[in-house]
Amino acid sequence: MAVEDNMSSTFKYRFQSPLGGLAADLTAEYALPGADDEFFLRVDRHVSLSLPQGVSWRDAAWLSFGLAAHAPDLALRNPQGIRVRVTALEFPLAHFRSEVAALAMDGWIRQELSLPDHGLRAVFDAEQRSYGFHWGEQPEPFSDDLLK
């Protein structure tokens, strides 16, 4: 099913842990690529991402990664292309790491476009009292394996 322009919606990512957890609210919309002069990042040949002004470079990178995990499915459904426009990424500083942006994007994409779960997850290591992240079938983020 190909997409048409839509209204923005918000996905609230939440992961509870003994440390309090991780959280982010991602508000976005999707559209067919247009001839506007809006700045965008090309995530895949047919998939692009527009970001709000002032977004951190780390958050931008992780948002791109979360979208890239779904790029093959999106390109298959939308050979004419698709642009995801993030209008807000909000989070409490005490409950956020930049990787959470990828998980929020993954959740938003699955919620809005009914795409399959690719296994992107946060985990809590009780022994280390820290968070870890699993990226499903995706190669390690930002490694040269992505270029192969």
Side-chain angles (χ1 to χ4, degrees):
M1 174 176 86
V3 299
E4 300 296 329
D5 293 1
N6 80 323
M7 302 287 291
S8 69
S9 63
T10 300
F11 177 81
K12 296 177 181 271
Y13 176 82
R14 301 292 185 268
F15 177 77
Q16 299 299 314
S17 79
L19 297 180
L22 299 170
D25 295 350
L26 175 76
T27 303
E29 59 193 21
Y30 55 85
L32 299 172
D36 56 15
D37 356 337
E38 178 181 38
F39 174 80
F40 64 90
L41 300 172
R42 185 162 312 282
V43 173
D44 183 77
R45 198 171 71 148
H46 298 285
V47 180
S48 61
L49 174 66
S50 296
L51 298 165
Q53 286 188 332
V55 70
S56 158
W57 68 269
R58 286 184 177 155
D59 299 344
W62 284 106
L63 286 166
S64 297
F65 179 78
L67 182 57
H70 295 281
D73 293 329
L74 289 168
L76 185 63
R77 286 188 185 185
N78 303 283
Q80 77 283 11
I82 184 172
R83 177 167 308 158
V84 172
R85 183 178 298 114
V86 174
T87 56
L89 177 64
E90 299 170 335
F91 48 85
L93 289 175
H95 300 284
F96 185 76
R97 288 186 34 184
S98 290
E99 293 93 330
V100 173
L103 300 174
M105 176 61 76
D106 170 63
W108 183 86
I109 289 281
R110 290 187 296 117
Q111 170 185 281
E112 290 302 307
L113 298 170
S114 302
L115 291 179
D117 185 341
H118 289 293
L120 282 64
R121 302 269 183 276
V123 295
F124 180 73
D125 182 332
E127 190 174 298
Q128 298 291 323
R129 296 195 52 77
S130 66
Y131 297 103
F133 298 90
H134 295 284
W135 305 114
E137 299 293 317
Q138 301 299 309
E140 187 62 30
F142 312 112
S143 72
D144 289 338
D145 292 342
L146 291 173
L147 303 175
K148 294 179 182 176

